[in-house]
Amino acid sequence: MALTISLENDKGKQIDAIYDIHDILYISILRSQQSGAELRPLPLLAMIDPYNDARFSLAQMPDLQSELLELRNFTKGTEEEQLLLSVLNMVEKCQMDQHDHIMTYGD
């Protein structure tokens, strides 16, 4: 499995991409949900599926950013931390243009 996280404009043209070939983001989400810790629901991150696509609009960016920051509390190493920081950076870029959105593409 692999997950591509893509910043795109309103025409679907890719501006930036992160290739998560080891499904680090998806595994982090699963681990956080199964940790038994007091973690608020992460409804946007729960939409990420390694077998399907998901689209996140500009209006969802503040909530997506908040969920990613919460997920950082469950990171288990520098590779996971780096990936989350890269996705957070992409969210910040997306917020700079009202026509951009983030897509995740599963296998």
Side-chain angles (χ1 to χ4, degrees):
M1 292 185 291
L3 188 69
T4 300
I5 305 152
S6 178
L7 175 63
E8 300 178 356
N9 67 17
D10 60 338
K11 307 277 191 236
K13 182 179 182 216
Q14 189 176 78
I15 299 166
D16 193 9
I18 300 166
Y19 302 99
D20 183 8
I21 60 171
H22 300 294
D23 288 322
I24 295 169
L25 181 59
Y26 185 67
I27 291 167
S28 298
I29 294 165
L30 287 178
R31 187 175 49 244
S32 72
Q33 293 171 343
Q34 298 169 351
S35 70
E38 292 293 321
L39 181 67
R40 70 181 180 90
L42 305 174
L44 293 177
L45 290 178
M47 292 173 34
I48 295 174
D49 180 345
Y51 299 105
N52 292 300
D53 304 340
R55 183 181 193 278
F56 300 97
S57 69
L58 177 64
Q60 294 171 306
M61 288 303 120
D63 291 334
L64 183 60
Q65 185 175 38
S66 175
E67 289 182 22
L68 287 164
L69 289 170
E70 180 121 2
L71 187 61
R72 279 184 64 196
N73 295 328
F74 294 91
T75 56
K76 301 273 187 189
T78 56
E79 188 176 23
E80 192 174 349
E81 176 77 15
Q82 276 301 114
L83 179 69
L84 288 172
L85 289 174
S86 296
V87 177
L88 281 163
N89 184 45
M90 186 178 282
V91 168
E92 289 177 13
K93 287 182 189 176
C94 186
Q95 291 174 328
M96 292 181 193
D97 188 324
Q98 66 180 352
H99 301 293
D100 291 350
H101 60 275
I102 292 177
M103 291 289 302
T104 60
Y105 296 101
D107 283 346

